[in-house]
Structures are given as C-alpha cells and as structure tokens.
Amino acid sequence: MNEKPAMVPSGPDERRDTLGNQAHDSSRGGQRNPSGTGSSAQTGSRLSVLRVVGIGLALVAVVVLAVGVVWSRQPSTFDVAALQAETLAGFGGRPVPGTAVVAAAIGVGETLLDKPGGFLFNDITPPGLYLDNMPNWEYGALMELRDSVQALRNDFSRSQTQSIENVHAKRADVKLAIDPSSWMLPSAEDEYRQAIDALRLFMRDLATGQDGSASFYTRADNLAAYLAVVEKRLGSLALRLSASVGDHELTAALVPNVDDGNAELEEVKTYGGGGSTTWHLVDDIFYEARGYTWALLHMLRAISIDFADILASKNADVSIQQIIRDLEGASKPMASPIVVNGHGYGLLANHSLVMASYISRANAAVLDLRILMQQG
C-alpha cells in the first residue's frame, strides 16, 4: 500500500518569504491600476475640453449669424420734414428753400453711418466681412448721396457758371468722394462724418444768413440738371436688373432705348458679354438698386418741399408724386429672406424684375418731369 509522503511544515523563514512575495505582487498590481485610471482620466479631460471648445465655437457662429441677419435689415424711412425742423431748431434757423434738401442728405448720410452695424462696406472682420447684401445697399445709397451733394455744389448753390462755389458744399462733395472700402488712414466713416458736418454748416449758414455765400437757387434748370443724372442712374439699374433672366426682348420692354449702343456696351462691360447676370451677382445688383431708390425717395420728398413753387408753376406736382409712389414700391420691406430669380410664370417669383418694373416706371416719370422743367 502506497503512502503519501508527509507534508513537512514550512518554517518561519519560508512563511515570511511567501508572504513577502505575495505583498510584492500585490504592490505591483496596485501600481498598475492607478496608471490605467490616470490615462482614462486624461483622455476624458481632453474630450471634455474639445467638447467645450466645440460648443463655444458653435455658439459664436450662431451669434455671428444672428447679428449678420439683424445688420442686413434695410433701415426704415425717415420723415424729411421732421428732420428738417429738428435740425433747424438746433441753431434757430428758418425753413428757407434748400434746407429740406440738405436735411435729406444729412439724414441719408447719418443712416449709412449709424444704422445697426454701422457702415459695413469696408469691414474686415465678421460678421461684416461675410455680408454682401447690406454693403451693396450702402453702395447704392452712397451713390445717390454723392449725386445729390454734387448737384448742391455745382447747381443748386450757384447762381451761374462763373459764381464762386460754397466752401462747405465743396468740402462735403470732396469728403464723400473717398473710396468706400477704405478702412484706415483715413477711414471712409471718418470722411463721411466730416461731409455730414460740412452739410450742417452749409444748412446753418443758409437758414441763419450768417454767410452770404450759402445760397440755394430753386430754378427749373437746376432741377432739370439733377434729374438728368437721376434718369441715367435709374436707366442703368433697370437694365442691370432686367438682365437677370437673359431675355433681350423683355429687357427692351422694361428699359427704354435698350438697343442703343451705349446700353449694349454697358451690358458687355457688366456681364462679360453674356446674355444674363451671373447668378452670384443677382442679389448684389438687387440690393444696390434698393439702396439707391431708398436714398432717392428721401431726396425727391425734399425736392417736393423746396421746389414746391416751381413744380406748381410747371404743373408737375402729379409727376413728382408718381415718382415718389414708384420709389416707395421699390423700397417696400421684403418678406423673402433671399432674392429669388424665377423665370416667366414659373413657381418662383423674380424679385429683380419686380424691382426693374418699379424703377422703369419711376424713370419714365423722371423723364417727363425733366422735360416739364426744360420746356413746360
């Protein structure tokens, strides 16, 4: 019968060695666990930081987009007569002829600079950097403001061709001539602000009689010269707007004298010889036209005040009111967030053609009014 060998009890030294090995293994295992936990914590911390950064960037993008939407809204119209009275009250002047026209120019200039977002055409940072609708609107309004101030300097404030021009009208015209994209040394905003200050000085001298060189002549030939410029501006805008569909017959129906060589030359220069406007320029032209008609609306309201006697003597009250109504239609608020460029009787409208229709009607009325001023 086989007997199992007897187990020899381990001595105290062997037991201590065994316990020491177990403790060493336990300590090594304990060292491995904290290392794994720390690595996981670091990874989770990095993910948390990335998540916070991503959420922050998303919030910034939403805020920038929201601000861009607010800044892209067209400013509301202002009351020319009320602005005239408010400005005259500042220096105790009288509402003599010419103060309404100058007040309208001041109001347009202040709107360009003080509307939400300020002047955006020369912005180099978001959200103004990526906006294009409002900068084009500003350019259209600025174009009309320049025409009005230039007419004030060359025609309205001078009795004849050899008369001395007013220094404030000259300064306003020069300051408005700066490139609107200039953003420093000098910035366009600073130059335009100085032009507005010069217009205020001209209005003060005109209303108070402090400076005899400040005059405003409400003559039919002066108004006809200004209307000739307006007629060309409106004709050009109507042509560019109607070219959004590339239909020459439709363009000829909307724009008078479209078959003239000058009109064809302008189309070649603007669109590179193509039949229709490039898709990314459709909204640019649309908002430029909106800005010009918005500014022209206020100027013609002012002209109806300052030139009331001349217009009545020429039986031209109906003509100028027709122009104002058409410009009001062209300046109506838009319900659509984008400029739609439909064709024919399709599902989508064509906002450019709607605008071209209003501008063409206004252009025809401006032509009639100019003829009345020259021959009526």
Side-chain angles (χ1 to χ4, degrees):
M1 180 174 176
N2 297 327
E3 293 182 358
K4 295 181 179 179
M7 299 294 296
V8 180
S10 57
D13 295 337
E14 294 179 356
R15 285 197 296 269
R16 281 196 298 268
D17 292 341
T18 303
L19 292 175
N21 292 334
Q22 291 176 355
H24 182 68
D25 293 339
S26 299
S27 64
R28 291 179 61 187
Q31 292 176 359
R32 285 194 300 266
N33 289 337
S35 177
T37 303
S39 177
S40 300
Q42 292 178 1
T43 303
S45 176
R46 285 195 295 268
L47 291 176
S48 300
V49 172
L50 291 176
R51 188 179 298 109
V52 171
V53 172
I55 294 174
L57 292 177
L59 290 176
V60 170
V62 171
V63 171
V64 169
L65 290 174
V67 172
V69 171
V70 174
W71 287 3
S72 296
R73 298 178 60 184
Q74 175 178 289
S76 58
T77 58
F78 58 86
D79 189 341
V80 174
L83 181 60
Q84 175 192 18
E86 179 184 351
T87 307
L88 290 174
F91 38 76
R94 298 176 295 105
V96 297
T99 53
V101 168
V102 180
I106 292 174
V108 172
E110 289 182 336
T111 301
L112 284 172
L113 299 179
D114 301 332
K115 61 180 175 55
F119 190 70
L120 303 178
F121 194 92
N122 59 351
D123 279 11
I124 59 174
T125 57
L129 178 63
Y130 74 84
L131 298 177
D132 65 341
N133 292 342
M134 182 50 63
N136 282 287
W137 185 94
E138 292 172 345
Y139 183 77
L142 177 62
M143 180 169 57
E144 206 292 318
L145 178 60
R146 287 172 170 174
D147 291 342
S148 299
V149 173
Q150 196 169 50
L152 176 66
R153 174 187 178 182
N154 296 330
D155 298 311
F156 295 149
S157 64
R158 303 181 64 179
S159 60
Q160 55 187 355
T161 57
Q162 296 182 354
S163 59
I164 300 176
E165 59 185 2
N166 181 268
V167 61
H168 298 311
K170 176 183 177 180
R171 178 175 175 81
D173 183 31
V174 171
K175 292 298 181 180
L176 287 174
I178 189 175
D179 184 359
S181 62
S182 176
W183 60 277
M184 67 178 300
L185 299 177
S187 67
E189 292 94 330
D190 292 341
E191 295 294 290
Y192 297 158
R193 190 74 66 181
Q194 293 180 36
I196 294 174
D197 293 339
L199 290 174
R200 289 185 183 278
L201 293 176
F202 178 85
M203 187 175 179
R204 181 203 62 188
D205 295 343
L206 183 64
T208 60
Q210 295 182 4
D211 186 355
S213 65
S215 303
F216 192 93
Y217 298 95
T218 55
R219 299 199 312 261
D221 59 333
N222 288 343
L223 182 56
Y226 171 71
L227 293 175
V229 177
V230 172
E231 184 182 342
K232 293 181 176 67
R233 298 292 192 192
L234 292 177
S236 174
L237 289 172
L239 172 63
R240 295 165 63 195
L241 287 166
S242 60
S244 63
V245 295
D247 190 335
H248 183 77
E249 294 182 357
L250 179 60
T251 302
L254 286 174
V255 185
N257 301 325
V258 72
D259 291 324
D260 290 350
N262 292 335
E264 291 181 353
L265 179 60
E266 179 181 3
E267 184 176 4
V268 170
K269 290 182 178 180
T270 306
Y271 312 112
S276 62
T277 307
T278 308
W279 66 270
H280 66 276
L281 295 178
V282 171
D283 61 331
D284 295 348
I285 298 172
F286 177 83
Y287 279 99
E288 181 184 336
R290 294 268 290 183
Y292 182 85
T293 54
W294 183 91
L296 181 61
L297 171 63
H298 295 89
M299 186 54 59
L300 288 183
R301 285 175 175 173
I303 287 175
S304 68
I305 297 174
D306 286 339
F307 288 82
D309 294 339
I310 296 297
L311 294 172
S313 65
K314 298 285 188 175
N315 294 322
D317 293 326
V318 176
S319 296
I320 195 167
Q321 292 304 320
Q322 177 63 44
I323 300 171
I324 291 175
R325 283 194 298 270
D326 290 330
L327 294 177
E328 288 174 344
S331 302
K332 289 180 179 178
M334 281 187 62
S336 174
I338 60 174
V339 177
V340 183
N341 192 37
H343 193 283
Y345 293 99
L347 181 62
L348 300 178
N350 190 302
H351 291 150
S352 296
L353 290 185
V354 174
M355 177 69 73
S357 176
Y358 281 116
I359 290 180
S360 297
R361 285 167 52 88
N363 192 22
V366 168
L367 174 61
D368 294 339
L369 180 59
R370 181 175 62 83
I371 293 176
L372 283 174
M373 292 298 103
Q374 292 175 338
Q375 303 176 1

